[in-house]
């Protein structure tokens, strides 16, 4: 489920402060926050060197996406 959700997510901005946060699907999300309740997908972290966001689901699957 995470692999279908992440590519279709609309990322409008990434803020690299502490804590990192991003505008995803029209709302500001902090690291550790759930993005999709039904799929149980969380915004895990920002990988600054790779310029990507890291997402995890409740089963531990990890997917990253460049921004």
């Amino acid at each position: 489920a995470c692999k279908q959700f992440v590519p279709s997510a609309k990322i409008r901005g990434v803020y690299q402060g502490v804590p990192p946060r991003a505008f995803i699907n029209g709302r500001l999300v902090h690291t550790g926050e759930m993005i999709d309740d039904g799929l149980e997908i969380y915004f895990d972290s920002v990988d600054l060197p790779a310029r990507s966001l890291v997402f995890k689901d409740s089963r531990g699957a990890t997917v990253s996406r460049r921004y």
Side-chain angles (χ1 to χ4, degrees):
C2 200
K3 292 186 183 208
Q4 287 85 29
F5 176 85
V6 172
S8 66
K10 292 181 178 31
I11 299 168
R12 300 286 182 216
V14 176
Y15 303 96
Q16 302 170 3
V18 177
R21 46 210 190 280
F23 265 111
I24 303 170
N25 291 343
R27 70 179 240 247
L28 183 64
V29 184
H30 293 82
T31 53
E33 271 189 68
M34 188 176 293
I35 297 172
D36 188 288
D37 293 331
L39 299 174
E40 296 182 343
I41 296 173
Y42 297 85
F43 171 38
D44 185 63
S45 61
V46 176
D47 183 345
L48 295 177
R51 293 184 51 85
S52 62
L53 301 180
V54 180
F55 300 87
K56 283 190 179 176
D57 69 11
S58 60
R59 291 175 281 145
T62 303
V63 177
S64 62
R65 176 171 163 195
R66 289 184 52 83
Y67 59 85

